[in-house]
């Protein structure tokens, strides 16, 4: 099922629940007066709304920050490998080609194979670790043959280390980042917040019902947005392999 279809179903379900509850309450005999709502109920409803709005804001900020960090890590990984490939120009042709072949093999594997695995399983692969380790071993075990190679050795090793760190961060961010207890609070808070609408004794007037429906739809949409951003490398607004495709155009990764 498409995620946007799921969003429409969620919002429609929220509307249906509100309408159903309002209709059922109107059919039941109500003994208390509906002309006025006690001040204490209005105060409690307002406080619950404020607290839940703060929780929602923190959750949205958290998942957005996690997505931004995942995007930065991916760009750092691609940029570091691009610099390794460029700096290899100081080596003799045979070894330079070997280093660039190692980089290309790793990038191609990440984009064409590991990325789909990571989206489905929420983890990176051992094969990717091996390919990056091979690049590091090839550079580390070759003794510099000239002053220029000696000067380039440490910067190249630093870029490989940066790529490895970015890869590890990508592996840690793969999959949902929001703890289950937070989701329990978000969903429970949504139920309580929407439920407090009925404590205000709303009736089937077009104005009151419209406002209740809009509020319920807004809550459903915000929860969907948090869920969508919760997994940085999957779902509809995920981080893509665009940095690799932009920095390694010769590999035709987008094709």
């Amino acid at each position: 099922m498409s995620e946007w279809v799921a969003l429409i179903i969620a919002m429609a379900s929220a509307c249906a629940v509100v309408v159903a509850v309002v209709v059922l309450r109107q059919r039941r005999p109500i003994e208390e007066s509906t002309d006025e709502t006690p001040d204490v109920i209005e105060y409690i409803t307002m406080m619950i709304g404020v607290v839940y709005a703060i929780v929602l804001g923190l959750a949205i900020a958290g998942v957005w920050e996690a997505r931004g960090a995942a995007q930065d890590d991916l760009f750092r990984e691609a940029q570091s490998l691009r610099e390794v490939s460029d700096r290899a120009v100081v080596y003799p042709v045979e070894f330079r080609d070997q280093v660039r072949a190692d980089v290309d093999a790793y990038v191609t594997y990440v984009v064409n194979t590991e990325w789909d695995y990571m989206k489905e399983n929420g983890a990176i692969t051992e094969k990717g670790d091996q390919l990056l380790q091979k690049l590091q071993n090839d550079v580390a075990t070759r003794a510099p043959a000239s002053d220029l190679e000696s000067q380039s050795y440490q910067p190249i090793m630093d870029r490989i280390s940066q790529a490895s760190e970015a890869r590890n961060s990508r592996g840690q961010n793969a999959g949902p980042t929001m703890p289950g207890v937070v989701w329990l609070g978000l969903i429970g808070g949504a139920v309580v917040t929407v439920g407090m609408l009925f404590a205000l004794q709303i009736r089937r007037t077009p104005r009151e019902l419209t406002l209740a429906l809009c509020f319920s739809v807004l809550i459903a949409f915000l929860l969907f947005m948090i869920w969508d951003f919760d997994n940085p490398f999957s779902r509809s607004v995920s981080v893509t392999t665009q940095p690799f495709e932009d920095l390694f155009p010769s590999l035709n990764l987008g094709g």
Side-chain angles (χ1 to χ4, degrees):
M1 185 192 323
S2 171
E3 293 164 6
W4 294 106
V5 174
L7 171 61
I8 294 174
I9 293 175
M11 292 191 298
S13 300
C15 292
V17 169
V18 172
V19 172
V21 173
V22 171
V23 171
L24 289 176
R25 288 182 75 247
Q26 291 295 319
R27 289 183 176 179
R28 293 178 56 187
I30 302 176
E31 297 180 356
E32 72 271 13
S33 173
T34 59
D35 296 333
E36 296 182 0
T37 299
D39 292 340
V40 66
I41 294 182
E42 292 183 353
Y43 177 77
I44 293 174
T45 302
M46 179 186 68
M47 291 305 299
I48 289 176
V50 170
V51 171
Y52 188 63
I54 294 173
V55 173
L56 276 177
L58 291 175
I60 292 172
V63 293
W64 179 260
E65 183 179 357
R67 183 185 182 279
Q71 194 167 23
D72 291 342
D73 289 335
L74 183 66
F75 180 80
R76 184 158 53 94
E77 182 181 1
Q79 181 64 36
S80 297
L81 292 171
R82 177 74 260 181
E83 292 186 21
V84 170
S85 185
D86 292 340
R87 289 174 181 269
V89 70
V90 301
Y91 292 115
V93 174
E94 183 177 354
F95 186 70
R96 179 187 64 202
D97 292 343
Q98 177 62 46
V99 171
R100 290 179 174 174
D102 289 344
V103 172
D104 292 348
Y106 173 79
V107 172
T108 302
Y109 175 78
V110 168
V111 174
N112 294 339
T113 303
E114 185 178 59
W115 199 263
D116 291 335
Y117 177 88
M118 183 178 65
K119 291 169 62 176
E120 294 176 1
N121 299 277
I124 55 179
T125 64
E126 184 178 351
K127 176 66 173 178
D129 294 335
Q130 294 173 354
L131 290 173
L132 190 58
Q133 187 63 46
K134 181 178 184 301
L135 170 63
Q136 187 174 27
N137 291 340
D138 286 346
V139 175
T141 56
R142 184 185 185 278
S146 65
D147 291 340
L148 184 59
E149 291 185 18
S150 298
Q151 295 173 5
S152 300
Y153 172 79
Q154 192 57 49
I156 291 178
M157 291 300 297
D158 289 342
R159 297 303 181 277
I160 296 176
S161 297
Q162 290 176 5
S164 180
E165 291 174 1
R167 172 181 173 79
N168 291 334
S169 296
R170 175 161 60 85
Q172 294 173 359
N173 289 327
T177 58
M178 189 76 71
V181 66
V182 177
W183 275 113
L184 180 62
L186 289 173
I187 296 174
V191 173
V192 172
T193 303
V194 175
M196 286 302 295
L197 291 176
F198 306 110
L200 296 176
Q201 301 175 357
I202 63 172
R203 288 158 289 185
R204 283 187 291 177
T205 63
R207 181 179 61 182
E208 293 180 358
L209 195 55
T210 299
L211 290 175
L213 291 177
C214 290
F215 182 75
S216 303
V217 167
L218 176 62
I219 294 296
F221 173 76
L222 291 176
L223 289 177
F224 171 83
M225 185 172 65
I226 294 172
W227 173 82
D228 206 18
F229 280 109
D230 187 31
N231 192 332
F233 299 105
S234 184
R235 300 170 185 162
S236 63
V237 288
S238 63
V239 177
T240 67
T241 58
Q242 195 63 42
F244 284 118
E245 297 172 16
D246 292 341
L247 294 174
F248 295 90
S250 62
L251 299 180
N252 295 320
L253 298 173

